[in-house]
């Protein structure tokens, strides 16, 4: 399985009467983190509004486009990106590839750092907030990219992906002004939402591979037990400290159409009813996600086989948007849930060898990535490796 170079920061928020007033961040260390291409595709395959119809053509095209720019294998080499092709692409394509990579790396990093398991309801993460959560989270203002429903409570995740042309992949010194500004907004968002747990990842793509800065706040049960065995270089003990400007309450945000939540607007303090209300809303979201997967299953015409007695439908998608493909991914939808041991799944992926498959199952969506220079694995082989994780 491929790796990314990760650098982790732990930060605290200093509060006052007006909310968050300052941030103090200390670098813990850096080292290689394992990243599964199958897991990255899995996260991005449903990074859409589940309230609307999921167009398979669009989904397949986006997956093919993402895979066309990424360079990885089933060994333990670094995950890379086709920099010359990325630089030759239109700006919106560069942003798409960078942000999709950032989204996948954020989830992979979170699971590797904290050995996460899904919470009640079976929904591990989702992107656009369903309507049932719009009464819990503010309808305007900053909104993190993903919400993880974990056993220790809901955790918001903010992902950013950026092309970096400098030889040194991690920016030298303390955080960049862009990251500082985003941390300021997220710190205030957390305070406004009852000290909501969250973290931020900042992914850099360049000739040196894929690097990620991860910023973790103190005080969250889900983010406390940090695994450090992967660290091979200690961090700089000198803290990065900055003040947070007070929000301008004279600015008022207008609701966006159709209930979608804008990314950057002035923040109004929402009416938050606490973590109990958040958990109750998350439990109501589960059935909506299941309905979306039912629709996706019914639209797939080709049955791949069965997994633990459950039918699986899907198709192979080639990453050939730039010409000859390097990877091909199997995207399958299960007729119903088959629970897997997520810890065993991560451990298996972290020890992949050339004779094992990069497969990933989350809820009812499974993905398997293979290099294009060999024969397609049979369904019996794929299902056998997936069943090992159950």
């Amino acid at each position: 399985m491929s790796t990314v170079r990760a650098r982790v920061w732990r930060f605290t928020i200093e509060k006052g009467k007006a909310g968050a007033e300052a941030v103090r961040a200390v670098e813990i260390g850096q080292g290689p983190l394992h990243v599964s291409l199958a897991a990255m595709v899995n996260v991005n395959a449903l990074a859409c509004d589940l309230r609307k119809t999921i167009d398979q053509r669009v989904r397949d095209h986006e997956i093919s486009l993402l895979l066309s720019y990424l360079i990885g294998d089933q060994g333990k080499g670094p995950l890379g990106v086709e920099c010359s092709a990325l630089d030759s692409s239109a700006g919106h394509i560069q942003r798409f590839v960078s942000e999709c990579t950032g989204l996948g790396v954020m989830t992979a990093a979170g699971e590797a750092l904290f050995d996460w398991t899904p919470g009640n309801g079976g929904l591990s993460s989702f992107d656009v907030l369903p309507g049932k959560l719009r009464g819990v989270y503010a309808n305007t203002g900053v909104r993190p990219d993903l919400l993880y429903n974990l056993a220790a409570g809901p955790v918001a995740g903010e992902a950013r992906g950026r092309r970096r042309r400098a030889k040194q992949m991690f920016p030298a010194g303390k955080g960049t002004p862009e990251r500082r500004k985003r941390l300021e907004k997220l710190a205030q968002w957390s305070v406004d939402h009852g000290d909501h747990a969250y973290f931020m990842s900042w992914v850099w793509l360049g000739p040196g591979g894929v690097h990620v800065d991860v910023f973790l706040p103190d005080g969250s049960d889900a983010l406390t037990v940090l695994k450090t065995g992967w660290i091979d270089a200690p961090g700089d003990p000198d803290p990065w400290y900055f003040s947070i400007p007070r929000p301008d309450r004279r600015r008022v945000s207008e609701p966006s159409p159709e209930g979608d939540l804008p990314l950057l607007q002035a923040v109004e303090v929402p009416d938050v009813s606490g973590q109990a209300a958040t958990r109750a809303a998350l439990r109501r979201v589960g059935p909506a996600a299941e309905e979306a997967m039912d629709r996706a299953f019914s639209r797939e015409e080709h049955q791949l086989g069965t997994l633990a007695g459950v039918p699986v439908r899907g198709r192979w998608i080639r990453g050939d948007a730039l010409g000859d493909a390097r990877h091909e991914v199997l995207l399958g939808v299960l007729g119903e849930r088959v629970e897997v041991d997520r810890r065993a799944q991560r451990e298996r992926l972290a020890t992949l060898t050339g004779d094992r498959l990069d497969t990933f199952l989350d809820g009812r969506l499974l993905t398997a990535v293979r290099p294009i220079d060999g024969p397609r694995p049979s369904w019996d082989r794929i299902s056998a490796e997936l069943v090992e994780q159950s």
Side-chain angles (χ1 to χ4, degrees):
M1 184 167 58
S2 300
T3 60
V4 299
R5 187 75 182 176
R7 181 170 63 173
V8 174
W9 305 70
R10 179 75 78 177
F11 67 93
T12 56
I13 301 172
E14 297 180 3
K15 303 174 188 175
K17 294 181 179 180
E21 291 189 346
V23 171
R24 176 188 177 91
V26 176
E27 181 188 343
I28 295 175
Q30 60 176 277
L33 279 183
H34 294 289
V35 173
S36 159
L37 273 179
M40 290 182 63
V41 171
N42 201 295
V43 171
N44 280 283
L46 285 180
C48 57
D49 192 340
L50 298 180
R51 295 168 291 178
K52 301 176 181 177
T53 300
I54 299 175
D55 191 319
Q56 292 168 309
R57 300 169 304 167
V58 174
R59 181 202 63 190
D60 294 358
H61 174 69
E62 290 179 348
I63 290 174
S64 174
L65 190 62
L66 174 61
L67 280 178
S68 297
Y69 284 87
L70 295 179
I71 303 172
D73 56 41
Q74 291 186 198
K76 295 187 177 181
L79 181 68
V81 63
E82 189 72 59
C83 291
S84 59
L86 193 63
D87 292 341
S88 299
S89 303
H92 63 280
I93 299 296
Q94 294 184 36
R95 289 188 292 273
F96 171 81
V97 174
S98 299
E99 295 293 344
C100 286
T101 303
L103 203 65
V105 170
M106 176 181 68
T107 301
E111 293 201 348
L113 291 174
F114 299 103
D115 204 15
W116 281 346
T117 55
N120 294 330
L123 188 65
S124 58
S125 64
F126 56 90
D127 187 18
V128 178
L129 293 182
K132 290 182 173 60
L133 288 177
R134 281 160 45 204
V136 176
Y137 296 97
N139 286 358
T140 57
V142 171
R143 177 184 65 84
D145 294 311
L146 284 181
L147 184 66
Y148 300 90
N149 181 21
L150 306 175
V155 176
E158 171 78 355
R160 284 291 178 267
R162 295 291 185 270
R163 171 73 169 93
R164 184 164 173 81
R165 292 170 175 81
K167 291 183 179 180
Q168 182 176 335
M169 289 298 294
F170 283 129
K174 304 305 177 185
T176 63
E178 192 177 10
R179 291 186 296 172
R180 168 178 172 167
K181 185 176 296 185
R182 200 62 184 168
L183 273 178
E184 291 173 359
K185 292 180 178 294
L186 288 168
Q188 189 62 56
W189 177 89
S190 174
V191 172
D192 289 345
H193 287 81
D195 293 332
H196 197 296
Y198 70 100
F199 72 105
M200 183 178 79
S201 67
W202 209 275
V203 174
W204 309 101
L205 292 79
V210 178
H211 288 51
V212 57
D213 270 312
V214 183
F215 294 86
L216 307 169
D218 277 330
S220 167
D221 292 339
L223 303 176
T224 298
V225 187
L226 174 67
K227 298 173 70 175
T228 58
W230 56 275
I231 293 177
D232 61 14
D236 182 356
D238 187 24
W240 174 34
Y241 183 88
F242 59 87
S243 300
I244 299 176
R246 296 194 176 197
D248 186 352
R249 299 297 179 180
R250 295 171 297 177
R251 294 178 59 193
V252 179
S253 300
E254 294 294 333
S256 58
E258 298 185 7
D260 289 341
L261 305 184
L263 293 179
L264 292 171
Q265 290 186 14
V267 178
E268 289 183 331
V269 178
D271 180 17
V272 181
S273 19
Q275 191 174 98
T278 305
R279 283 194 177 279
L282 283 168
R283 285 194 294 269
R284 295 196 301 271
V285 170
E290 290 298 304
E291 291 175 5
M293 296 308 296
D294 285 339
R295 294 192 297 271
F297 179 80
S298 65
R299 294 190 183 100
E300 292 288 354
E301 298 179 355
H302 178 59
Q303 179 155 326
L304 302 168
T306 61
L307 181 66
V310 174
V312 183
R313 299 176 183 173
R315 68 188 72 186
W316 285 94
I317 303 169
R318 296 172 67 90
D320 57 1
L322 298 177
D324 294 336
R326 281 185 292 265
H327 304 102
E328 188 177 44
V329 59
L330 176 66
L331 187 66
V333 184
L334 279 66
E336 61 185 66
R337 284 181 174 272
V338 173
E339 297 301 328
V340 299
D341 184 337
R342 293 295 288 270
R343 183 176 289 106
Q345 181 172 238
R346 286 191 292 271
E347 290 174 353
R348 187 192 67 82
L349 289 173
T351 57
L352 275 180
T353 58
D355 61 341
R356 301 299 297 272
L357 296 176
D358 184 0
T359 58
F360 191 81
L361 175 62
D362 185 10
R364 293 173 59 183
L365 188 69
L366 74 84
T367 44
V369 175
R370 74 171 189 94
I372 207 70
D373 56 359
R376 283 181 179 174
S378 67
W379 173 252
D380 287 343
R381 181 185 174 191
I382 294 172
S383 60
E385 296 209 11
L386 287 167
V387 168
E388 286 183 15
Q389 307 161 28
S390 60

